[in-house]
Amino acid sequence: MKHSAQELVEQRGCPAYCCRGELSTACKYQNWNFKFHDKGSVNMPKKGGKHAEMGKAMQAQCKRAKVEAACSLSVMSFESPDSLFGSLISPIKQEMFFREYWEQKPLLVQRNDPLLAAYYQSLFQLSDLKELCSQGLYYGRDINICRCVNGKKKVLNKEGKVNYMQLKKDFDQKKATIQFHQPQRFKEELWKIQEKLECYFGSLVGSNVYITPQGSQGLPPHYDDVEPGDLLYFPRGTIHQADTPPGISYSTHVTISTYQNNSWGDFLLDAIPGLVFDTAKEDVALRTSIPRQLLMQVDIADSTKKLSSLLRKLADRLENTRELRSSDMKKDFIMNRLPPCLGYDSDPLTPGGKLPKIDSKIRLQFRDHAIITVEPDQENSDEIRREMVYVYHSLKNRRETHMMGTEDDTTSEDGTSQQTHGLRFPLSYLDALKQIWSSSTVYVKELNLIADEEKENLALSLWTECLIEVI
């Protein structure tokens, strides 16, 4: 498959063409491409103009980024999120990756390893679609059929359910690319990879599969080969395009993407309202009225000095704040991420082992799948609501709906409501919860609560949700 990095664009607001004109959102994500099934090449445009100049700069970056592995690499390490990511980009070290490539320039890691090439090939194959279609796939939601005609995307989707024979016919005769959305819903190995990456980045991780037939439109001359077993990383904002050259039956690649809506701007939009709310309770300046008719004015230049002064006060308070309320981003991540991948034949999580008692020694399970937030009491509709501690987790999330947002993101395909799973405690429990989260092990009787009954109730509540175990 040929990948053409046509130009570097601004980090947000620009589409990226992926897989023969398929419109992607690479401007919002960091992208990893896993290449397998055939030989291919990465290409750059060489004609004059602005795009060519930007292309030449990117070509030089990619050439410097090319890395040949000195020795054979084994398949992925799933011991921890850190080890998984390390094995993903090996032999590049993580420190070097984030220092030199992350959000800066593409990275091509070339590895002549048959074991790794075979592993990548096992992630998804064209033959997998035959079985998946029998389970009920739909055009648009699960699969797109498209071609690049005169530089533009042409969607060839039918209506309703996908028929595999028709899909194969469009693939063979119309030379259409198959885009399969979120294969981790069906392929356990991708579930394992993406669940660990979500733990590693603390951000949602989605994926797509692109299967492209032979004889697709040509691309400009290549400047680097992408072989089976290689990995190609694109920072957000990189426009890229792929096709399959003649002589190869078809080409498949998996694109794994992360870090959409995870910028400092997104975090500020989420955290500042809580900071303003907390500051206003103590600073009377934030509770004084705005100037008369300010909302009716076109020019508010006279009020900007006052507003700037208030923002400086917020900045001063922020420097001395240990915690920021970012509940919306936290909850969105926890509610929509993958559940833990415990094994292909594992039953759903249920509490097990000994019940926690006052003398029990406990430890946190699934640390990467749970968060603590402080929010106004959601069950009290009074005008003045007291603050409560909420523990949210993703242990009961549904893998089948991962990254499959609909018009109403709170409702799944079968009509059941998707909700955030977790527990609610009085604010006085916050220190004890932090104690459990920050300790490798802790005795229930040593929890930072006054009464033994409170300590046992906290431990039992967390045990019931499978968040702690007794050791």
Side-chain angles (χ1 to χ4, degrees):
M1 179 176 295
K2 296 183 179 179
H3 297 268
S4 173
Q6 295 179 340
E7 62 176 330
L8 292 175
V9 295
E10 292 182 351
Q11 288 192 353
R12 299 190 71 84
C14 298
Y17 290 91
C18 179
C19 200
R20 299 177 57 245
E22 169 60 25
L23 191 60
S24 169
T25 51
C27 54
K28 297 181 180 179
Y29 298 91
Q30 313 293 332
N31 287 330
W32 282 269
N33 286 281
F34 299 87
K35 175 67 178 56
F36 52 88
H37 201 79
D38 65 38
K39 299 179 70 174
S41 52
V42 180
N43 294 267
M44 281 301 307
K46 292 192 175 180
K47 293 184 178 180
K50 177 182 177 182
H51 290 182
E53 292 302 316
M54 300 177 77
K56 289 177 182 178
M58 183 174 175
Q59 177 177 352
Q61 289 175 341
C62 282
K63 280 185 174 293
R64 288 193 298 270
K66 177 180 174 181
V67 177
E68 299 283 358
C71 59
S72 180
L73 178 76
S74 62
V75 293
M76 304 297 173
S77 169
F78 290 96
E79 293 180 4
S80 67
D82 189 78
S83 68
L84 181 278
F85 186 74
S87 64
L88 183 68
I89 64 170
S90 178
I92 291 288
K93 300 300 183 184
Q94 296 181 47
E95 296 80 7
M96 175 182 287
F97 174 78
F98 286 105
R99 183 178 66 248
E100 298 187 12
Y101 300 103
W102 177 254
E103 293 194 304
Q104 298 177 61
K105 59 186 178 182
L107 168 66
L108 172 62
V109 181
Q110 294 190 306
R111 300 175 284 212
N112 184 22
D113 184 347
L115 289 177
L116 188 60
Y119 175 76
Y120 279 1
Q121 186 172 355
S122 73
L123 296 179
F124 200 94
Q125 300 181 46
L126 180 60
S127 57
D128 292 326
L129 285 176
K130 188 171 185 178
E131 170 63 24
L132 293 178
C133 285
S134 68
Q135 299 180 28
L137 301 180
Y138 287 83
Y139 285 104
R141 186 194 70 180
D142 302 300
I143 283 181
N144 278 332
I145 302 295
C146 56
R147 287 194 62 192
C148 183
V149 179
N150 297 324
K152 295 182 179 181
K153 175 179 123 179
K154 182 177 181 180
V155 178
L156 306 174
N157 288 354
K158 306 293 189 297
E159 293 291 333
K161 284 188 176 183
V162 178
N163 178 279
Y164 178 75
M165 297 306 294
Q166 180 64 54
L167 183 71
K168 192 66 165 60
K169 181 179 179 182
D170 290 339
F171 181 78
D172 292 333
Q173 298 182 7
K174 296 183 179 180
K175 302 298 182 183
T177 287
I178 300 172
Q179 180 190 23
F180 183 57
H181 302 303
Q182 310 305 337
Q184 71 277 8
R185 295 175 294 148
F186 305 96
K187 299 290 288 185
E188 283 80 3
E189 202 66 18
L190 284 170
W191 176 16
K192 285 176 61 179
I193 292 173
Q194 290 175 236
E195 184 256 326
K196 282 291 188 290
L197 288 177
E198 287 186 335
C199 293
Y200 184 84
F201 286 105
S203 176
L204 294 176
V205 175
S207 65
N208 283 287
V209 170
Y210 299 91
I211 306 176
T212 306
Q214 67 170 334
S216 304
Q217 72 176 65
L219 291 177
H222 75 276
Y223 65 82
D224 239 337
D225 287 337
V226 181
E227 303 287 349
D230 293 350
L231 176 139
L232 182 61
Y233 160 74
F234 289 128
R236 67 159 58 92
T238 303
I239 289 181
H240 57 285
Q241 185 171 323
D243 78 351
T244 303
I248 296 170
S249 59
Y250 64 89
S251 175
T252 306
H253 75 269
V254 177
T255 299
I256 292 181
S257 308
T258 189
Y259 255 61
Q260 183 187 27
N261 301 329
N262 256 42
S263 68
W264 278 112
D266 296 313
F267 186 75
L268 285 172
L269 288 172
D270 188 57
I272 288 299
L275 178 64
V276 173
F277 181 82
D278 292 338
T279 306
K281 289 189 294 185
E282 302 175 9
D283 191 341
V284 68
L286 282 170
R287 301 199 303 272
T288 58
S289 300
I290 62 176
R292 186 172 57 85
Q293 295 186 341
L294 177 64
L295 301 180
M296 302 164 59
Q297 297 175 11
V298 176
D299 186 356
I300 62 167
D302 293 339
S303 300
T304 54
K305 285 188 177 181
K306 178 64 175 178
L307 192 57
S308 298
S309 174
L310 294 175
L311 289 174
R312 290 190 194 95
K313 287 188 175 183
L314 288 176
D316 292 338
R317 181 182 177 88
L318 184 60
E319 288 189 357
N320 299 309
T321 299
R322 295 183 61 187
E323 297 180 10
L324 278 177
R325 296 186 190 182
S326 59
S327 299
D328 288 343
M329 286 183 72
K330 285 184 176 181
K331 284 193 291 186
D332 179 74
F333 171 52
I334 287 295
M335 184 173 69
N336 293 292
R337 64 168 301 183
L338 284 163
C341 185
L342 303 176
Y344 306 148
D345 301 321
S346 297
D347 296 326
L349 274 172
T350 55
K354 295 182 290 186
L355 283 169
K357 302 293 184 181
I358 192 65
D359 292 321
S360 298
K361 189 178 183 180
I362 61 173
R363 68 180 173 196
L364 185 66
Q365 295 189 112
F366 308 108
R367 184 183 304 273
D368 294 325
H369 284 266
I371 60 169
I372 304 171
T373 70
V374 176
E375 306 171 29
D377 189 354
Q378 299 173 10
E379 297 184 9
N380 189 339
S381 59
D382 294 342
E383 184 175 344
I384 299 177
R385 294 188 294 175
R386 59 177 180 167
E387 290 185 327
M388 303 290 289
V389 181
Y390 289 86
V391 175
Y392 298 114
H393 64 80
S394 56
L395 306 187
K396 299 178 183 178
N397 286 4
R398 298 178 59 210
R399 167 196 174 199
E400 295 80 9
T401 60
H402 183 245
M403 300 296 286
M404 296 298 291
T406 60
E407 292 183 4
D408 181 4
D409 286 328
T410 62
T411 303
S412 61
E413 298 171 27
D414 58 8
T416 59
S417 176
Q418 290 182 261
Q419 59 182 351
T420 307
H421 303 287
L423 300 163
R424 168 178 168 270
F425 300 101
L427 190 60
S428 59
Y429 281 60
L430 180 59
D431 286 342
L433 286 164
K434 289 182 177 179
Q435 191 179 356
I436 296 172
W437 255 250
S438 61
S439 305
S440 57
T441 60
V442 64
Y443 283 97
V444 174
K445 61 185 177 184
E446 296 177 353
L447 293 175
N448 293 329
L449 288 166
I450 296 175
D452 286 350
E453 183 180 3
E454 289 180 315
K455 297 175 183 180
E456 285 195 61
N457 285 340
L458 173 57
L460 183 59
S461 297
L462 295 173
W463 179 85
T464 302
E465 291 290 298
C466 303
L467 290 171
I468 63 168
E469 62 178 341
V470 177
I471 57 175

